[in-house]
Structure formats: C-alpha cells, structure tokens
C-alpha cells in the first residue's frame, strides 16, 4: 500500500515543478510575451488563419517541451484571426491587455486566493469590494451601493436584470403582462439576459430612437401611459450609455425621471461607455446615470484590461443579495457575521478566479492618470477621424459622443452597400487595421471603434490612408471594367 502511494506520489509531484523547471518555463513564456509586445506594431490587426487546420498537439499522457507548444500557439492562435491586442484593432469594441493586468492574473492564479466569501479571505474580498465601490462612486452612486465583479458585461447585465425582476416582484404568472422598455440599439446580451432570467415572454417595447440613435423619451412616456392604461405591468427600463453601433448615450436623466414616476427599475448598460466618466469633459453626457438602479460597466473594455472582467453596480445591495444568496449545509462555516458583503452571495458564481487583482494591481502600479488620459485620447482620436474621413469624401453618421463612429463612402456609380462591403473586405485583406461593419435601417455602415490602449495617432492616420487607397483602387477597378 505505502509503496503504491509513493509510486503515485512520484508522478503526482510533477504538478509541483522544481524551481529550475519554473525558471525555464518562465523564461520561455516571458520571451514569448516580449516578442509579442515588441512586435505588436508590425503584427497585423487581422491575419488570415493558417489553412492547415486545428492545433497539431494532441492531448496525451505525457507532457511536451514548452518551445514546441509555444510555436504551435503562435502560429495557430496568436498570429491568426483578429488581434484584439493590436492598436490597429478598430473594429469591435477592442480589447486591451495591459501588461500589469496580466501580472495580476498570474499572481492570482499562483496564490489562488479565494475571493468569493469574506470568511475565506477578507483581504481579497475587500479588494474586490473596494474596486466596486470606486466604480459606484464614479457613476455617482451613494455609499452603501455595491455590485459584483463578473466575467463580463453580459453576466453583469444578467445579474442586474435578475435583481430587477425579483425586486419588482415579477413572478412567472405575471411575466406575460410585464413590460420592458429599451431601444433596438441596446446590446443583444440584454435580450439574452431577459430570456435567461425567465422573462422571454415579457412584453418588450422597442422605443424608437432619434436621429442620433438615442431613445426618444417622449415616445417612452407615451408607451408607459398606454401600457398602464391597458393593465400591463411596466417594470424595467434599460438605457444605454454608449451603444455598440454608434456609441450613443440615451437621455439618461429623462429616462430616470420617467422610471421614478412610473415606478420602474432603471438599468443602464454602460459596458462600453462607462469609463469615459473618468474624462471630465465627457461627464455631462452621462447625466442621470446616478439616478439609475443598476449599471453594467466593463473594465475589460474601458480600462484596457485583459478579457474576463465586467462589473455590475447596484444601489440596493439587499435586493441583489435576495436574488442571489443561497445557503447549503456544507457552507455553514461561511455564514458568520460579516463586515463585507461576499461576492458569492451577490452573483451566480461560487468558486471563481480572484479577478479583482488584475484591476487592482494596475491601479496601484500606474495610478489612475494614464487611464484617464488614454480614454480622453481615444475620444479625441475618434473625433479627429470623424473630421478627416469627411474631408476624404466619406459620409459619416452622427458626431461621435464617445469613441465609436459609423461612416460610408458614396461611390460614383456603384451600389453603395456593396461598395462599402468591398471596402471593408479590402481593409481586412490589407490587415494592418481592422474595421467592422453594421447595418442600420437596412443601410450598411463601416464602423470605427477606438478603444485599444495601443491606438494612437499613428494607427488612425494609417487607417485613413488605407481607406483612401482602398477607395481609389475600388473606384479605379470599376472605371477600367466599366
Ligand atoms: C460589450 C458590451 C456588452 C457585452 O459585454 P461582454 O463583456 O462582451 O459580455 C454589453 N453591452 C454593451 C453596450 C457592450 O458594449
């Protein structure tokens, strides 16, 4: 028996590599990361994936050398498809990946502190709650508000919607009469969350938008009066603070007033736009966000952190707790009197990564100043692009409120939608920058979203150059053909 245990131990101990082994792996990983970062400016923002299929490395009983593994990873993953870490990533709301964030993740994984319950690690929970309170203050919530660090905006929205459902007392029997108000510009994860939260059969009122894609609040008012008159139960209004398509901010203050008047829960999806509140000149546009009941805000967007960190902020923590708390016999040690709310009692998660460290460490190392400047810079770059692209003869959507804008080219002869699709394809094949597109009321628009911390003037000028050349080539080809 003992012999058998010792044999197993000898193999199991491979899970604890020696100092030398760790140093070797560390050195290879560090070299890989350094190579990635120092080449980021020449690496493409979009690269066609290699054509020889999936990762070649099988999952086997014994391990392989790190260099073999990293080579495969580089070819099949890190040099393929969209590169969200690139400053040329101007397509979907870009990712970040600031280095100190990665160090926070690394430390959190090595020490594996548990930040789910105050009882298990008061220090870790305090750090997470302190970050949440900082964000609450940013949106103007009073003391005593809290929320949760979730994996992203989708789960943050889900937690808010679930809390709203329960706080408003929406039971299964009432779902069909319950009404949710939003615009067609709301992020699709809101509809997804409504369905997951059992509200798929609720009435969804799509409130029309104005010419800048913001909720028409007079229309919201009209719908509310009608719905009340018809015996329906208006219970939730969702506003956007930075829509995905155009970065539009709904008139939050006016929605808040109606929400108050009609007794609705008012949720604001600020997953993309929320951190622009750190920029003094942009604050005004968010007026009224402080009157909401809950906010979703994504540090893995606006704070340039690696993917995997969204936050929900909720004024009424009790309500959040009542929707998410659960107990079990094997949890009895955790139920002591607590001076801090426990994240596990405020979210669907129990065991989780100590994800607060990836935000806390960069804040400690760098301070807030560079984040503030970067956000102001991105908004300014978007404005700069807005002016320049029109000088190049493009037609642009509304003047950007934050750092997203839509634009398109009106070609001499060609059908407009088709021409712009080809232009996006041209940009994608060039690969140095990456742009996305959207369709609004049947019209195809090219979409620029500036939120990579690596996007500076150089990348914006490069994008303008590529677009200009693209238009020339496409128009040129046409003339020759036609
Ligand atoms: C990105 C985004 C979401 C979804 O958040 P994830 O972090 O991708 O889950 C929701 N709403 C808005 C406005 C967003 O930009």
């Amino acid at each position: 028996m003992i012999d058998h245990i010792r044999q197993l131990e000898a193999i199991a101990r491979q899970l604890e590599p020696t100092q030398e082994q760790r140093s070797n792996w560390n050195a290879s990983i560090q070299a890989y990361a350094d190579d990635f970062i120092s080449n980021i400016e020449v690496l493409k923002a979009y690269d066609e994936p290699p054509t020889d299929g999936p990762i070649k490395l099988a999952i086997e009983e014994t391990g392989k050398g790190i260099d073999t593994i990293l080579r495969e990873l580089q070819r099949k993953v890190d040099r393929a498809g969209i590169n969200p870490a690139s400053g040329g990533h101007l397509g979907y709301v870009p990712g970040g990946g600031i280095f100190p964030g990665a160090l926070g993740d690394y430390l959190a994984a090595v020490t594996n502190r548990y930040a789910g319950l105050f009882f298990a690690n008061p220090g870790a929970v305090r750090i997470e709650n302190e970050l949440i309170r900082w964000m609450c203050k940013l949106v103007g919530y009073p003391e005593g508000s809290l929320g949760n660090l979730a994996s992203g905006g989708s789960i943050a929205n889900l937690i808010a919607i679930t809390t709203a459902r329960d706080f408003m007392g929406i039971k299964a029997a009432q779902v069909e009469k319950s009404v949710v108000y939003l615009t067609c510009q709301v992020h699709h994860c809101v509809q997804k969350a409504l369905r997951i939260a059992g509200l798929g059969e609720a009435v969804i009122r799509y409130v029309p938008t104005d010419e800048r894609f913001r909720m028409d609040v007079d229309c919201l008012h009209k719908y509310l009066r009608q719905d009340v008159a018809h015996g329906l139960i208006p219970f939730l209004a969702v506003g956007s603070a930075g829509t995905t398509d155009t970065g539009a901010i709904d008139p939050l203050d006016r929605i808040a007033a109606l929400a108050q008047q009609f007794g609705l829960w008012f949720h604001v999806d600020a997953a993309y736009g929320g951190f622009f509140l750190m920029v003094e000149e942009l604050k005004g546009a968010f007026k009224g966000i402080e009157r909401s009941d809950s906010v979703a805000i994504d540090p893995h967007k606006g704070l340039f952190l690696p993917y995997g960190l969204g936050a929900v902020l909720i004024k009424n923590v009790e309500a959040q707790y009542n929707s998410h708390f659960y107990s079990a016999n094997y949890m009895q040690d955790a139920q002591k009197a607590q001076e801090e709310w426990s994240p596990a009692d405020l979210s669907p998660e129990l065991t989780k990564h100590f994800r607060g460290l990836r935000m806390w460490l960069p804040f400690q190392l760098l301070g807030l100043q560079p984040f503030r400047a970067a956000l102001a810079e991105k908004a300014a770059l978007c404005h700069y692009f807005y002016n320049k692209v029109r000088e190049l003869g493009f037609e642009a959507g509304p003047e950007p409120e934050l750092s997203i804008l839509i634009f398109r080219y009106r070609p001499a002869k060609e059908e407009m939608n088709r021409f712009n699709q080809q232009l996006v394809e041209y940009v994608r094949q060039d690969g140095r920058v990456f742009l996305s597109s959207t369709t609004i009321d049947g019209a195809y628009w090219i979409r620029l979203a500036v939120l990579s911390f690596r996007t500076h003037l150089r990348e914006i000028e490069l994008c303008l150059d590529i677009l200009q050349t693209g238009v020339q080539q496409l128009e040129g080809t046409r003339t020759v053909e036609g």
Side-chain angles (χ1 to χ4, degrees):
M1 180 71 159
I2 296 278
D3 275 355
H4 182 56
I5 291 174
R6 286 207 200 287
Q7 271 171 14
L8 290 173
E9 176 179 329
I11 303 170
R13 275 186 178 274
Q14 290 175 31
L15 295 177
E16 183 75 281
T18 61
Q19 162 78 57
E20 192 193 351
Q21 178 82 79
R22 291 203 305 275
S23 298
N24 288 340
W25 285 346
N26 263 334
S28 294
I29 296 273
Q30 195 177 334
Y32 184 89
D34 284 343
D35 176 70
F36 181 82
I37 294 170
S38 53
N39 282 305
I40 196 84
E41 284 196 9
V42 290
L43 288 178
K44 287 191 163 182
Y46 180 81
D47 231 342
E48 292 296 334
T51 49
D52 56 343
I55 291 258
K56 288 243 159 49
L57 303 177
I59 294 168
E60 296 164 320
E61 281 298 312
T62 53
K64 304 172 183 65
I66 191 147
D67 294 323
T68 315
I69 301 167
L70 290 179
R71 255 197 313 277
E72 192 70 355
L73 198 63
Q74 179 175 64
R75 234 170 58 76
K76 292 287 175 59
V77 180
D78 292 330
R79 297 271 167 100
I82 297 174
N83 180 1
S86 163
H89 182 19
L90 303 164
Y92 305 105
V93 171
I98 53 168
F99 192 68
L103 295 181
D105 273 354
Y106 177 77
L107 271 189
V110 170
T111 61
N112 207 24
R113 295 291 105 173
Y114 176 56
L117 294 166
F118 183 71
F119 142 87
N121 196 309
V125 169
R126 279 196 192 103
I127 281 186
E128 294 218 351
N129 286 354
E130 188 182 339
L131 292 167
I132 298 167
R133 282 190 284 263
W134 177 80
M135 288 184 275
C136 283
K137 207 169 152 197
L138 183 70
V139 304
Y141 275 9
E143 248 174 73
S145 312
L146 203 64
N148 188 252
L149 295 186
S151 57
S154 302
I155 303 298
N157 278 300
L158 175 64
I159 293 175
I161 284 167
T162 306
T163 304
R165 177 199 65 198
D166 295 346
F167 181 76
M168 300 303 289
I170 308 297
K171 300 277 192 290
Q174 288 130 15
V175 168
E176 287 184 8
K177 293 187 113 187
S178 305
V179 195
V180 182
Y181 302 83
L182 33 84
T183 73
C184 61
Q185 290 294 307
V186 82
H187 193 279
H188 72 274
C189 78
V190 169
Q191 285 100 324
K192 192 169 159 185
L194 286 167
R195 200 173 63 207
I196 297 172
L199 297 166
E201 281 144 11
V203 182
I204 302 207
R205 283 277 176 259
Y206 285 96
V207 184
T209 52
D210 64 13
E211 72 293 347
R212 304 194 56 169
F213 306 106
R214 297 174 299 195
M215 188 184 282
D216 177 341
V217 185
D218 292 331
C219 205
L220 170 66
H221 196 180
K222 189 179 80 191
Y223 285 175
L224 281 164
R225 280 193 311 250
Q226 283 172 358
D227 289 339
V228 171
H230 288 123
L232 297 175
I233 314 167
F235 85 102
L236 173 65
V238 180
S240 302
T243 58
T244 308
D245 265 347
T246 68
I249 304 177
D250 286 328
L252 304 177
D253 210 34
R254 294 188 57 210
I255 303 174
L258 284 179
Q260 204 167 357
Q261 185 186 336
F262 286 83
L264 311 185
W265 182 285
F266 178 31
H267 173 66
V268 178
D269 182 4
Y272 150 68
F275 287 104
F276 284 101
L277 274 162
M278 292 175 73
V279 182
E280 204 51 48
E281 310 85 78
L282 296 176
K283 259 188 185 159
F286 292 85
K287 189 169 167 2
I289 195 171
E290 72 286 351
R291 297 172 72 185
S292 65
D293 297 288
S294 53
V295 168
I297 183 169
D298 264 2
H300 68 194
K301 288 177 179 163
L303 291 178
F304 320 108
L305 298 178
Y307 288 146
L309 189 62
V312 61
L313 313 175
I314 296 188
K315 251 185 205 161
N316 184 343
V317 202
E318 295 276 349
Q320 189 187 357
Y321 177 84
N322 291 337
S323 286
H324 294 91
F325 169 71
Y326 226 91
S327 188
N329 291 342
Y330 45 81
M331 298 289 294
Q332 63 191 11
D333 295 334
Q335 319 293 326
K336 308 247 170 71
Q338 302 185 339
E339 66 183 78
E340 281 280 358
W341 294 92
S342 285
D345 293 337
L346 300 173
S347 96
E349 291 181 277
L350 178 60
T351 306
K352 67 187 191 78
H353 184 71
F354 175 21
R355 53 175 74 102
L357 203 52
R358 54 160 55 197
M359 178 169 168
W360 187 81
L361 189 64
F363 274 10
Q364 296 300 324
L365 285 171
L366 305 170
L368 294 177
Q369 204 177 28
F371 292 94
R372 228 184 273 287
L375 285 158
E377 179 201 19
K378 304 320 163 204
L381 285 173
C382 187
H383 245 93
Y384 177 80
F385 183 93
Y386 172 73
N387 292 330
K388 286 286 169 185
V389 85
R390 287 181 307 155
E391 280 171 29
L392 290 179
F394 283 77
E395 171 184 331
E399 190 177 347
E401 290 195 77
L402 300 172
S403 72
I404 296 180
L405 123 99
I406 51 172
F407 62 97
R408 59 187 174 175
Y409 193 78
R410 196 178 280 281
K413 303 184 189 124
E414 208 53 29
E415 202 263 314
M416 187 143 83
N417 284 0
R418 211 170 82 93
F419 184 92
N420 284 287
Q421 272 162 26
Q422 286 172 338
L423 185 56
V424 167
E425 192 45 45
Y426 171 87
V427 174
R428 203 160 293 178
Q429 269 166 19
D430 176 274
R432 285 174 295 167
V433 303
F434 177 79
L435 293 170
S436 64
S437 68
T438 187
T439 300
I440 300 180
D441 300 331
Y444 182 95
W445 289 91
I446 309 177
R447 195 170 150 271
L448 176 95
V450 190
L451 202 61
S452 165
F453 71 101
R454 292 190 173 106
T455 302
H456 305 292
L457 201 51
R458 189 192 85 96
E459 285 71 25
I460 294 298
E461 299 284 18
L462 178 63
C463 180
L464 288 161
D465 270 358
I466 295 170
L467 284 168
Q468 192 174 17
T469 316
V471 166
Q472 278 162 4
Q473 287 212 0
L474 289 172
E475 297 246 67
T477 322
R478 288 301 126 52
T479 326
V480 173
E481 277 172 0

